[in-house]
Amino acid sequence: MASNNGDVKLIGAWASPYVMRPRIALNVKSVEYEFLQEQFGSKSELLLKSNPVHKKIPVLLHNGKPICESSIIVEYIDEVWSSGPSILPSDPYDRAVARFWAAYLDEKWFPNVRAAPMAATEEAKNAAVEQLKEGLALLEGAYGEISKGKDFFGGEKIGFLDIAFGSMLGWLRAVQVILGGVKLLDEEKTPGLCKWAVKFSADPAVKDVLPETEKLLEFAKILMAKMKPASSS
């Protein structure tokens, strides 16, 4: 496998759930890489050159060639380092289902993780929290169907949907604290996801890259301080 690695670099930032996805995928495949951290609030020349369309992290540089967008990068990693454990399901239908839920997380669910702490009114905050809870109820049902009684969405080992959702766990835990102890992952309402979250966080491919809640809370204070004036102007 080492001969296929080539020169692997990842442009990102430690706190980004989207950057965490390729980091976990590279760990699953046992691929060594150089992590090039962007400074918060600025964009490096390398990033702008590597992703001129969106100008966003993450960007994977493989032998100098850029691959952008977190889910696309994870799929690329799975295809290029095919001798490692598979990330995407082998069955076409199962792959489609995993991609569907990954898209749901990005387009519908995670925006509320960001919106709830930044809500201008109590009403807006409560609405975002309710949408988060409704989404988690849907994901609890999906976990039961997709995992077929095994530990992960991917079965015995973490897969594409585990990475897509699990990369957001750090921020989900931080937001629960920011919102005053609101229980989003609830052992009564989402028992499957609660067990899954513990096992996912402890996985060798994950545990060293998933940020600690305290670190994210400190980062969130900086983020919210910068964003509040802009949102109120």
Side-chain angles (χ1 to χ4, degrees):
M1 189 163 67
S3 61
N4 289 336
N5 284 1
D7 181 37
V8 184
K9 295 184 174 79
L10 181 67
I11 306 172
W14 67 270
S16 167
Y18 300 105
V19 173
M20 221 163 298
R21 291 172 175 177
R23 293 185 77 188
I24 294 167
L26 288 165
N27 286 347
V28 166
K29 298 287 188 174
S30 301
V31 175
E32 291 185 12
Y33 64 97
E34 184 181 353
F35 189 35
L36 306 173
Q37 289 228 54
E38 289 286 301
Q39 293 300 311
F40 175 63
S42 65
K43 298 177 191 284
S44 68
E45 282 186 34
L46 181 61
L47 172 61
L48 296 173
K49 186 180 95 173
S50 303
N51 189 0
V53 176
H54 294 300
K55 304 178 177 63
K56 288 181 180 178
I57 54 174
V59 179
L60 182 75
L61 296 171
H62 187 206
N63 294 325
K65 293 179 179 177
I67 302 97
C68 308
E69 298 293 302
S70 63
S71 292
I72 293 170
I73 296 171
V74 171
E75 293 202 32
Y76 176 86
I77 290 166
D78 195 33
E79 289 174 11
V80 171
W81 290 283
S82 56
S83 58
S86 292
I87 293 173
L88 278 147
S90 57
D91 179 77
Y93 178 76
D94 292 343
R95 275 202 303 278
V97 169
R99 286 173 176 141
F100 169 84
W101 284 108
Y104 168 78
L105 286 162
D106 286 353
E107 294 165 16
K108 297 288 185 183
W109 189 78
F110 193 67
N112 287 303
V113 176
R114 290 187 289 200
M118 301 299 297
T121 65
E122 195 70 17
E123 189 181 359
K125 183 184 85 172
N126 290 340
V129 168
E130 278 311 303
Q131 286 184 303
L132 284 173
K133 288 181 177 178
E134 286 171 17
L136 286 169
L138 290 173
L139 288 158
E140 174 76 13
Y143 173 71
E145 287 180 23
I146 297 167
S147 67
K148 299 178 178 71
K150 294 177 181 171
D151 287 345
F152 301 106
F153 286 95
E156 302 286 354
K157 296 179 179 178
I158 65 172
F160 185 73
L161 186 50
D162 295 286
I163 293 171
F165 187 19
S167 64
M168 299 169 173
L169 277 176
W171 277 110
L172 179 61
R173 289 167 179 152
V175 164
Q176 288 183 140
V177 177
I178 293 167
L179 295 176
V182 170
K183 282 192 98 174
L184 296 170
L185 276 181
D186 188 316
E187 286 180 7
E188 285 185 19
K189 293 177 181 174
T190 55
L193 289 182
C194 284
K195 290 175 186 173
W196 164 81
V198 171
K199 286 174 180 171
F200 178 84
S201 302
D203 191 272
V206 176
K207 61 183 182 181
D208 293 332
V209 298
L210 195 66
E212 295 171 10
T213 305
E214 286 303 316
K215 274 188 77 177
L216 286 175
L217 287 170
E218 287 172 21
F219 182 71
K221 283 179 189 174
I222 299 165
L223 204 61
M224 289 168 79
K226 282 183 177 288
M227 290 175 76
K228 280 285 186 189
S231 62
S232 60
S233 61

Short mmCIF file of all heavy atoms in Angstrom, two decimals, residues 52-112:
data_model
loop_
_atom_site.label_atom_id
_atom_site.label_comp_id
_atom_site.label_asym_id
_atom_site.label_seq_id
_atom_site.Cartn_x
_atom_site.Cartn_y
_atom_site.Cartn_z
N PRO A 52 -9.88 27.18 -6.40
CA PRO A 52 -10.26 28.53 -6.84
C PRO A 52 -11.77 28.73 -6.99
O PRO A 52 -12.23 29.87 -7.03
CB PRO A 52 -9.55 28.66 -8.20
CG PRO A 52 -9.40 27.26 -8.69
CD PRO A 52 -9.19 26.42 -7.47
N VAL A 53 -12.53 27.65 -7.08
CA VAL A 53 -13.98 27.77 -7.27
C VAL A 53 -14.68 28.13 -5.95
O VAL A 53 -15.36 29.15 -5.84
CB VAL A 53 -14.58 26.48 -7.87
CG1 VAL A 53 -16.10 26.59 -7.97
CG2 VAL A 53 -13.98 26.21 -9.24
N HIS A 54 -14.49 27.29 -4.92
CA HIS A 54 -15.17 27.52 -3.64
C HIS A 54 -14.30 28.23 -2.61
O HIS A 54 -14.82 28.80 -1.65
CB HIS A 54 -15.66 26.19 -3.05
CG HIS A 54 -16.73 25.53 -3.87
ND1 HIS A 54 -17.94 26.13 -4.12
CD2 HIS A 54 -16.77 24.33 -4.50
CE1 HIS A 54 -18.69 25.33 -4.87
NE2 HIS A 54 -18.00 24.23 -5.11
N LYS A 55 -12.96 28.11 -2.78
CA LYS A 55 -12.00 28.75 -1.84
C LYS A 55 -12.23 28.25 -0.41
O LYS A 55 -12.15 29.01 0.55
CB LYS A 55 -12.11 30.27 -1.90
CG LYS A 55 -11.90 30.86 -3.29
CD LYS A 55 -12.06 32.37 -3.28
CE LYS A 55 -11.78 33.00 -4.63
NZ LYS A 55 -12.71 32.58 -5.69
N LYS A 56 -12.55 26.96 -0.28
CA LYS A 56 -12.86 26.40 1.04
C LYS A 56 -12.02 25.16 1.33
O LYS A 56 -11.57 24.47 0.41
CB LYS A 56 -14.35 26.00 1.11
CG LYS A 56 -15.31 27.19 1.19
CD LYS A 56 -16.74 26.66 1.27
CE LYS A 56 -17.75 27.79 1.35
NZ LYS A 56 -19.13 27.28 1.38
N ILE A 57 -11.86 24.88 2.62
CA ILE A 57 -11.27 23.63 3.08
C ILE A 57 -12.41 22.61 3.24
O ILE A 57 -13.56 23.01 3.39
CB ILE A 57 -10.52 23.82 4.42
CG1 ILE A 57 -11.45 24.48 5.48
CG2 ILE A 57 -9.25 24.59 4.22
CD1 ILE A 57 -10.84 24.59 6.86
N PRO A 58 -12.05 21.32 3.14
CA PRO A 58 -10.73 20.72 2.94
C PRO A 58 -10.37 20.60 1.46
O PRO A 58 -11.24 20.58 0.60
CB PRO A 58 -10.91 19.32 3.55
CG PRO A 58 -12.35 18.98 3.27
CD PRO A 58 -13.09 20.29 3.38
N VAL A 59 -9.04 20.50 1.25
CA VAL A 59 -8.52 20.14 -0.08
C VAL A 59 -7.46 19.06 0.13
O VAL A 59 -6.55 19.23 0.93
CB VAL A 59 -7.89 21.34 -0.81
CG1 VAL A 59 -7.35 20.90 -2.17
CG2 VAL A 59 -8.90 22.47 -0.99
N LEU A 60 -7.62 17.95 -0.59
CA LEU A 60 -6.60 16.91 -0.58
C LEU A 60 -5.68 17.15 -1.76
O LEU A 60 -6.14 17.37 -2.88
CB LEU A 60 -7.25 15.53 -0.70
CG LEU A 60 -6.29 14.33 -0.65
CD1 LEU A 60 -5.80 14.08 0.77
CD2 LEU A 60 -6.95 13.07 -1.21
N LEU A 61 -4.38 17.15 -1.50
CA LEU A 61 -3.38 17.24 -2.57
C LEU A 61 -2.70 15.89 -2.68
O LEU A 61 -2.01 15.45 -1.76
CB LEU A 61 -2.35 18.34 -2.26
CG LEU A 61 -2.90 19.77 -2.18
CD1 LEU A 61 -1.83 20.72 -1.65
CD2 LEU A 61 -3.39 20.24 -3.54
N HIS A 62 -2.95 15.20 -3.78
CA HIS A 62 -2.34 13.89 -4.01
C HIS A 62 -1.40 14.00 -5.21
O HIS A 62 -1.84 14.20 -6.33
CB HIS A 62 -3.42 12.84 -4.27
CG HIS A 62 -2.89 11.45 -4.35
ND1 HIS A 62 -3.53 10.45 -5.05
CD2 HIS A 62 -1.77 10.88 -3.83
CE1 HIS A 62 -2.81 9.34 -4.95
NE2 HIS A 62 -1.75 9.57 -4.22
N ASN A 63 -0.12 13.90 -4.91
CA ASN A 63 0.91 14.12 -5.94
C ASN A 63 0.70 15.46 -6.66
O ASN A 63 0.82 15.57 -7.89
CB ASN A 63 0.92 12.96 -6.95
CG ASN A 63 1.37 11.65 -6.31
OD1 ASN A 63 2.22 11.65 -5.42
ND2 ASN A 63 0.79 10.56 -6.73
N GLY A 64 0.33 16.46 -5.87
CA GLY A 64 0.17 17.82 -6.40
C GLY A 64 -1.17 18.13 -7.01
O GLY A 64 -1.47 19.27 -7.33
N LYS A 65 -2.02 17.10 -7.18
CA LYS A 65 -3.34 17.31 -7.79
C LYS A 65 -4.39 17.55 -6.69
O LYS A 65 -4.51 16.74 -5.78
CB LYS A 65 -3.75 16.12 -8.64
CG LYS A 65 -2.88 15.92 -9.88
CD LYS A 65 -3.34 14.69 -10.65
CE LYS A 65 -2.51 14.48 -11.91
NZ LYS A 65 -2.91 13.24 -12.62
N PRO A 66 -5.18 18.65 -6.81
CA PRO A 66 -6.17 18.95 -5.76
C PRO A 66 -7.50 18.23 -5.96
O PRO A 66 -8.00 18.11 -7.07
CB PRO A 66 -6.36 20.46 -5.91
CG PRO A 66 -6.09 20.74 -7.36
CD PRO A 66 -5.08 19.72 -7.82
N ILE A 67 -8.05 17.73 -4.86
CA ILE A 67 -9.40 17.16 -4.83
C ILE A 67 -10.15 17.92 -3.74
O ILE A 67 -9.66 18.03 -2.61
CB ILE A 67 -9.40 15.64 -4.53
CG1 ILE A 67 -8.56 14.88 -5.57
CG2 ILE A 67 -10.82 15.08 -4.54
CD1 ILE A 67 -7.16 14.60 -5.13
N CYS A 68 -11.34 18.46 -4.08
CA CYS A 68 -12.08 19.32 -3.16
C CYS A 68 -13.42 18.69 -2.77
O CYS A 68 -13.91 17.78 -3.44
CB CYS A 68 -12.33 20.68 -3.82
SG CYS A 68 -10.85 21.47 -4.46
N GLU A 69 -14.01 19.25 -1.72
CA GLU A 69 -15.31 18.84 -1.16
C GLU A 69 -15.15 17.54 -0.35
O GLU A 69 -14.73 16.51 -0.89
CB GLU A 69 -16.38 18.68 -2.23
CG GLU A 69 -16.70 19.97 -2.97
CD GLU A 69 -17.36 21.02 -2.08
OE1 GLU A 69 -18.41 20.75 -1.50
OE2 GLU A 69 -16.79 22.11 -1.95
N SER A 70 -15.54 17.60 0.92
CA SER A 70 -15.23 16.53 1.87
C SER A 70 -15.72 15.14 1.44
O SER A 70 -14.96 14.17 1.49
CB SER A 70 -15.77 16.87 3.25
OG SER A 70 -17.18 16.97 3.23
N SER A 71 -16.97 15.03 1.01
CA SER A 71 -17.50 13.71 0.65
C SER A 71 -16.82 13.17 -0.61
O SER A 71 -16.57 11.96 -0.71
CB SER A 71 -19.02 13.78 0.43
OG SER A 71 -19.67 14.03 1.65
N ILE A 72 -16.53 14.05 -1.54
CA ILE A 72 -15.83 13.65 -2.76
C ILE A 72 -14.42 13.16 -2.42
O ILE A 72 -13.94 12.16 -2.97
CB ILE A 72 -15.79 14.81 -3.79
CG1 ILE A 72 -17.21 15.11 -4.29
CG2 ILE A 72 -14.86 14.50 -4.96
CD1 ILE A 72 -17.34 16.38 -5.10
N ILE A 73 -13.78 13.85 -1.49
CA ILE A 73 -12.42 13.44 -1.07
C ILE A 73 -12.46 12.06 -0.44
O ILE A 73 -11.62 11.20 -0.72
CB ILE A 73 -11.82 14.47 -0.09
CG1 ILE A 73 -11.62 15.83 -0.76
CG2 ILE A 73 -10.48 13.96 0.45
CD1 ILE A 73 -11.24 16.95 0.19
N VAL A 74 -13.45 11.82 0.42
CA VAL A 74 -13.57 10.51 1.08
C VAL A 74 -13.76 9.40 0.04
O VAL A 74 -13.13 8.34 0.12
CB VAL A 74 -14.72 10.51 2.11
CG1 VAL A 74 -14.98 9.09 2.63
CG2 VAL A 74 -14.39 11.43 3.28
N GLU A 75 -14.61 9.65 -0.96
CA GLU A 75 -14.81 8.66 -2.02
C GLU A 75 -13.52 8.44 -2.81
O GLU A 75 -13.19 7.30 -3.18
CB GLU A 75 -15.95 9.10 -2.94
CG GLU A 75 -17.30 9.10 -2.24
CD GLU A 75 -18.47 9.01 -3.21
OE1 GLU A 75 -18.32 8.37 -4.27
OE2 GLU A 75 -19.55 9.55 -2.88
N TYR A 76 -12.80 9.51 -3.07
CA TYR A 76 -11.52 9.41 -3.79
C TYR A 76 -10.53 8.55 -3.00
O TYR A 76 -9.88 7.65 -3.56
CB TYR A 76 -10.95 10.82 -4.02
CG TYR A 76 -9.59 10.83 -4.68
CD1 TYR A 76 -9.47 10.80 -6.07
CD2 TYR A 76 -8.41 10.90 -3.93
CE1 TYR A 76 -8.22 10.82 -6.69
CE2 TYR A 76 -7.16 10.91 -4.53
CZ TYR A 76 -7.07 10.89 -5.91
OH TYR A 76 -5.83 10.89 -6.51
N ILE A 77 -10.45 8.81 -1.71
CA ILE A 77 -9.53 8.05 -0.85
C ILE A 77 -9.90 6.56 -0.89
O ILE A 77 -9.02 5.69 -0.97
CB ILE A 77 -9.58 8.59 0.61
CG1 ILE A 77 -8.92 9.98 0.68
CG2 ILE A 77 -8.90 7.63 1.59
CD1 ILE A 77 -9.20 10.75 1.96
N ASP A 78 -11.19 6.27 -0.85
CA ASP A 78 -11.65 4.88 -0.86
C ASP A 78 -11.26 4.18 -2.16
O ASP A 78 -10.88 3.01 -2.16
CB ASP A 78 -13.17 4.85 -0.67
CG ASP A 78 -13.68 3.46 -0.30
OD1 ASP A 78 -12.95 2.72 0.38
OD2 ASP A 78 -14.80 3.13 -0.71
N GLU A 79 -11.36 4.92 -3.27
CA GLU A 79 -11.05 4.32 -4.58
C GLU A 79 -9.55 4.17 -4.82
O GLU A 79 -9.10 3.16 -5.35
CB GLU A 79 -11.67 5.19 -5.69
CG GLU A 79 -13.19 5.11 -5.75
CD GLU A 79 -13.78 6.09 -6.75
OE1 GLU A 79 -13.02 6.67 -7.56
OE2 GLU A 79 -15.01 6.27 -6.74
N VAL A 80 -8.78 5.18 -4.41
CA VAL A 80 -7.33 5.16 -4.68
C VAL A 80 -6.62 4.13 -3.81
O VAL A 80 -5.78 3.37 -4.29
CB VAL A 80 -6.73 6.57 -4.48
CG1 VAL A 80 -5.20 6.51 -4.54
CG2 VAL A 80 -7.24 7.53 -5.55
N TRP A 81 -6.95 4.11 -2.53
CA TRP A 81 -6.31 3.16 -1.61
C TRP A 81 -7.25 1.99 -1.37
O TRP A 81 -7.67 1.71 -0.25
CB TRP A 81 -5.91 3.88 -0.33
CG TRP A 81 -4.77 4.82 -0.58
CD1 TRP A 81 -3.45 4.51 -0.73
CD2 TRP A 81 -4.86 6.25 -0.78
NE1 TRP A 81 -2.71 5.64 -0.99
CE2 TRP A 81 -3.54 6.72 -1.03
CE3 TRP A 81 -5.90 7.16 -0.76
CZ2 TRP A 81 -3.25 8.07 -1.26
CZ3 TRP A 81 -5.62 8.50 -0.99
CH2 TRP A 81 -4.32 8.95 -1.24
N SER A 82 -7.55 1.29 -2.45
CA SER A 82 -8.58 0.24 -2.43
C SER A 82 -8.15 -1.01 -1.66
O SER A 82 -8.98 -1.85 -1.33
CB SER A 82 -8.98 -0.14 -3.85
OG SER A 82 -7.83 -0.52 -4.59
N SER A 83 -6.85 -1.15 -1.39
CA SER A 83 -6.39 -2.34 -0.67
C SER A 83 -6.66 -2.24 0.84
O SER A 83 -6.59 -3.22 1.56
CB SER A 83 -4.90 -2.58 -0.92
OG SER A 83 -4.15 -1.46 -0.52
N GLY A 84 -6.97 -1.03 1.31
CA GLY A 84 -7.32 -0.87 2.72
C GLY A 84 -8.78 -1.24 2.94
O GLY A 84 -9.49 -1.62 2.01
N PRO A 85 -9.27 -1.14 4.20
CA PRO A 85 -10.68 -1.44 4.48
C PRO A 85 -11.60 -0.55 3.64
O PRO A 85 -11.33 0.63 3.47
CB PRO A 85 -10.82 -1.13 5.97
CG PRO A 85 -9.43 -1.16 6.51
CD PRO A 85 -8.53 -0.73 5.41
N SER A 86 -12.69 -1.13 3.11
CA SER A 86 -13.62 -0.36 2.29
C SER A 86 -14.39 0.63 3.14
O SER A 86 -14.79 0.32 4.26
CB SER A 86 -14.61 -1.29 1.59
OG SER A 86 -13.94 -2.08 0.63
N ILE A 87 -14.60 1.82 2.59
CA ILE A 87 -15.37 2.86 3.27
C ILE A 87 -16.79 2.90 2.73
O ILE A 87 -17.75 2.88 3.49
CB ILE A 87 -14.67 4.23 3.12
CG1 ILE A 87 -13.34 4.23 3.88
CG2 ILE A 87 -15.58 5.36 3.61
CD1 ILE A 87 -12.48 5.46 3.66
N LEU A 88 -16.94 2.93 1.43
CA LEU A 88 -18.27 2.91 0.82
C LEU A 88 -18.80 1.47 0.77
O LEU A 88 -18.02 0.53 0.56
CB LEU A 88 -18.23 3.49 -0.59
CG LEU A 88 -18.27 5.02 -0.64
CD1 LEU A 88 -17.46 5.54 -1.81
CD2 LEU A 88 -19.70 5.51 -0.73
N PRO A 89 -20.10 1.29 0.92
CA PRO A 89 -20.67 -0.07 0.81
C PRO A 89 -20.43 -0.64 -0.60
O PRO A 89 -20.39 0.10 -1.58
CB PRO A 89 -22.17 0.14 1.06
CG PRO A 89 -22.28 1.47 1.74
CD PRO A 89 -21.14 2.29 1.23
N SER A 90 -20.30 -1.95 -0.68
CA SER A 90 -20.06 -2.59 -1.98
C SER A 90 -21.33 -2.68 -2.82
O SER A 90 -21.28 -2.67 -4.04
CB SER A 90 -19.47 -3.99 -1.77
OG SER A 90 -20.33 -4.77 -0.97
N ASP A 91 -22.49 -2.76 -2.16
CA ASP A 91 -23.76 -2.87 -2.87
C ASP A 91 -24.22 -1.49 -3.38
O ASP A 91 -24.21 -0.52 -2.62
CB ASP A 91 -24.82 -3.44 -1.92
CG ASP A 91 -26.17 -3.57 -2.59
OD1 ASP A 91 -26.35 -4.52 -3.37
OD2 ASP A 91 -27.04 -2.70 -2.35
N PRO A 92 -24.61 -1.39 -4.66
CA PRO A 92 -25.01 -0.09 -5.22
C PRO A 92 -26.16 0.58 -4.47
O PRO A 92 -26.15 1.80 -4.28
CB PRO A 92 -25.42 -0.43 -6.66
CG PRO A 92 -24.69 -1.67 -6.98
CD PRO A 92 -24.59 -2.44 -5.70
N TYR A 93 -27.16 -0.21 -4.04
CA TYR A 93 -28.27 0.38 -3.29
C TYR A 93 -27.80 0.92 -1.94
O TYR A 93 -28.17 2.04 -1.54
CB TYR A 93 -29.40 -0.65 -3.08
CG TYR A 93 -30.53 -0.09 -2.26
CD1 TYR A 93 -31.45 0.80 -2.82
CD2 TYR A 93 -30.67 -0.42 -0.90
CE1 TYR A 93 -32.48 1.35 -2.06
CE2 TYR A 93 -31.70 0.13 -0.14
CZ TYR A 93 -32.59 1.01 -0.73
OH TYR A 93 -33.60 1.55 0.02
N ASP A 94 -26.99 0.13 -1.25
CA ASP A 94 -26.47 0.58 0.05
C ASP A 94 -25.61 1.84 -0.10
O ASP A 94 -25.64 2.73 0.76
CB ASP A 94 -25.62 -0.54 0.70
CG ASP A 94 -26.48 -1.73 1.12
OD1 ASP A 94 -27.72 -1.58 1.21
OD2 ASP A 94 -25.91 -2.82 1.34
N ARG A 95 -24.87 1.92 -1.20
CA ARG A 95 -24.07 3.13 -1.47
C ARG A 95 -24.98 4.34 -1.66
O ARG A 95 -24.72 5.42 -1.13
CB ARG A 95 -23.20 2.96 -2.73
CG ARG A 95 -21.88 2.27 -2.48
CD ARG A 95 -20.86 2.59 -3.58
NE ARG A 95 -21.29 2.25 -4.92
CZ ARG A 95 -21.22 1.04 -5.45
NH1 ARG A 95 -20.75 0.03 -4.74
NH2 ARG A 95 -21.62 0.82 -6.69
N ALA A 96 -26.06 4.14 -2.42
CA ALA A 96 -27.01 5.23 -2.68
C ALA A 96 -27.65 5.71 -1.38
O ALA A 96 -27.81 6.92 -1.16
CB ALA A 96 -28.08 4.77 -3.67
N VAL A 97 -28.02 4.78 -0.50
CA VAL A 97 -28.64 5.13 0.78
C VAL A 97 -27.65 5.92 1.65
O VAL A 97 -28.01 6.93 2.26
CB VAL A 97 -29.13 3.86 1.52
CG1 VAL A 97 -29.53 4.18 2.96
CG2 VAL A 97 -30.31 3.24 0.77
N ALA A 98 -26.41 5.47 1.69
CA ALA A 98 -25.39 6.17 2.48
C ALA A 98 -25.18 7.59 1.96
O ALA A 98 -25.08 8.55 2.74
CB ALA A 98 -24.07 5.39 2.45
N ARG A 99 -25.14 7.74 0.64
CA ARG A 99 -24.96 9.07 0.04
C ARG A 99 -26.17 9.96 0.32
O ARG A 99 -26.03 11.17 0.54
CB ARG A 99 -24.73 8.94 -1.47
CG ARG A 99 -23.33 8.42 -1.82
CD ARG A 99 -23.23 8.17 -3.30
NE ARG A 99 -21.89 7.76 -3.71
CZ ARG A 99 -21.63 6.83 -4.62
NH1 ARG A 99 -22.63 6.20 -5.23
NH2 ARG A 99 -20.38 6.54 -4.94
N PHE A 100 -27.37 9.38 0.30
CA PHE A 100 -28.60 10.13 0.58
C PHE A 100 -28.53 10.75 1.97
O PHE A 100 -28.78 11.94 2.16
CB PHE A 100 -29.83 9.22 0.47
CG PHE A 100 -31.08 9.85 1.00
CD1 PHE A 100 -31.84 10.70 0.21
CD2 PHE A 100 -31.49 9.62 2.31
CE1 PHE A 100 -32.99 11.30 0.71
CE2 PHE A 100 -32.63 10.23 2.83
CZ PHE A 100 -33.39 11.07 2.02
N TRP A 101 -28.19 9.93 2.98
CA TRP A 101 -28.16 10.42 4.35
C TRP A 101 -27.00 11.39 4.57
O TRP A 101 -27.14 12.34 5.36
CB TRP A 101 -28.12 9.26 5.34
CG TRP A 101 -29.45 8.59 5.48
CD1 TRP A 101 -29.81 7.36 5.01
CD2 TRP A 101 -30.62 9.15 6.09
NE1 TRP A 101 -31.13 7.10 5.30
CE2 TRP A 101 -31.66 8.19 5.97
CE3 TRP A 101 -30.90 10.36 6.74
CZ2 TRP A 101 -32.93 8.40 6.48
CZ3 TRP A 101 -32.18 10.57 7.23
CH2 TRP A 101 -33.17 9.61 7.10
N ALA A 102 -25.90 11.17 3.90
CA ALA A 102 -24.77 12.12 4.01
C ALA A 102 -25.19 13.48 3.47
O ALA A 102 -24.87 14.53 4.06
CB ALA A 102 -23.56 11.58 3.25
N ALA A 103 -25.92 13.49 2.35
CA ALA A 103 -26.42 14.74 1.77
C ALA A 103 -27.43 15.40 2.71
O ALA A 103 -27.43 16.63 2.88
CB ALA A 103 -27.04 14.49 0.41
N TYR A 104 -28.28 14.59 3.34
CA TYR A 104 -29.26 15.11 4.30
C TYR A 104 -28.54 15.82 5.46
O TYR A 104 -28.94 16.92 5.88
CB TYR A 104 -30.13 13.98 4.83
CG TYR A 104 -30.97 14.38 6.03
CD1 TYR A 104 -32.14 15.13 5.87
CD2 TYR A 104 -30.56 14.04 7.32
CE1 TYR A 104 -32.89 15.52 6.97
CE2 TYR A 104 -31.31 14.43 8.42
CZ TYR A 104 -32.47 15.17 8.25
OH TYR A 104 -33.19 15.56 9.34
N LEU A 105 -27.50 15.19 5.97
CA LEU A 105 -26.74 15.79 7.07
C LEU A 105 -26.18 17.15 6.69
O LEU A 105 -26.29 18.11 7.44
CB LEU A 105 -25.60 14.85 7.48
CG LEU A 105 -25.99 13.60 8.27
CD1 LEU A 105 -24.88 12.57 8.22
CD2 LEU A 105 -26.32 13.96 9.72
N ASP A 106 -25.59 17.23 5.51
CA ASP A 106 -24.95 18.47 5.08
C ASP A 106 -25.95 19.57 4.72
O ASP A 106 -25.75 20.74 5.05
CB ASP A 106 -24.05 18.21 3.86
CG ASP A 106 -22.77 17.48 4.23
OD1 ASP A 106 -22.52 17.30 5.44
OD2 ASP A 106 -22.02 17.09 3.33
N GLU A 107 -27.03 19.17 4.06
CA GLU A 107 -27.96 20.17 3.53
C GLU A 107 -29.06 20.58 4.52
O GLU A 107 -29.48 21.73 4.54
CB GLU A 107 -28.62 19.64 2.24
CG GLU A 107 -27.63 19.46 1.10
CD GLU A 107 -28.19 18.60 -0.03
OE1 GLU A 107 -29.42 18.40 -0.07
OE2 GLU A 107 -27.39 18.11 -0.85
N LYS A 108 -29.50 19.64 5.35
CA LYS A 108 -30.66 19.89 6.20
C LYS A 108 -30.35 19.92 7.70
O LYS A 108 -30.90 20.73 8.43
CB LYS A 108 -31.74 18.82 5.95
CG LYS A 108 -32.30 18.81 4.54
CD LYS A 108 -33.20 20.00 4.29
CE LYS A 108 -33.87 19.92 2.93
NZ LYS A 108 -34.69 21.11 2.65
N TRP A 109 -29.48 18.99 8.14
CA TRP A 109 -29.33 18.81 9.59
C TRP A 109 -28.24 19.69 10.19
O TRP A 109 -28.50 20.46 11.12
CB TRP A 109 -29.07 17.34 9.91
CG TRP A 109 -29.12 17.07 11.39
CD1 TRP A 109 -30.23 16.95 12.16
CD2 TRP A 109 -28.00 16.93 12.27
NE1 TRP A 109 -29.88 16.74 13.46
CE2 TRP A 109 -28.52 16.71 13.57
CE3 TRP A 109 -26.62 16.95 12.09
CZ2 TRP A 109 -27.70 16.52 14.68
CZ3 TRP A 109 -25.79 16.76 13.20
CH2 TRP A 109 -26.33 16.55 14.47
N PHE A 110 -27.04 19.62 9.67
CA PHE A 110 -25.93 20.36 10.29
C PHE A 110 -26.12 21.88 10.28
O PHE A 110 -25.66 22.54 11.21
CB PHE A 110 -24.58 19.98 9.66
CG PHE A 110 -23.40 20.47 10.46
CD1 PHE A 110 -23.15 19.95 11.72
CD2 PHE A 110 -22.56 21.45 9.97
CE1 PHE A 110 -22.07 20.41 12.48
CE2 PHE A 110 -21.49 21.90 10.72
CZ PHE A 110 -21.24 21.38 11.98
N PRO A 111 -26.78 22.47 9.26
CA PRO A 111 -27.02 23.92 9.34
C PRO A 111 -27.72 24.35 10.63
O PRO A 111 -27.49 25.44 11.14
CB PRO A 111 -27.90 24.19 8.11
CG PRO A 111 -27.45 23.15 7.12
CD PRO A 111 -27.19 21.92 7.95
N ASN A 112 -28.54 23.46 11.21
CA ASN A 112 -29.21 23.79 12.47
C ASN A 112 -28.26 23.68 13.67
O ASN A 112 -28.48 24.34 14.68
CB ASN A 112 -30.43 22.88 12.68
CG ASN A 112 -31.57 23.25 11.76
OD1 ASN A 112 -32.04 24.38 11.78
ND2 ASN A 112 -32.01 22.31 10.94
#
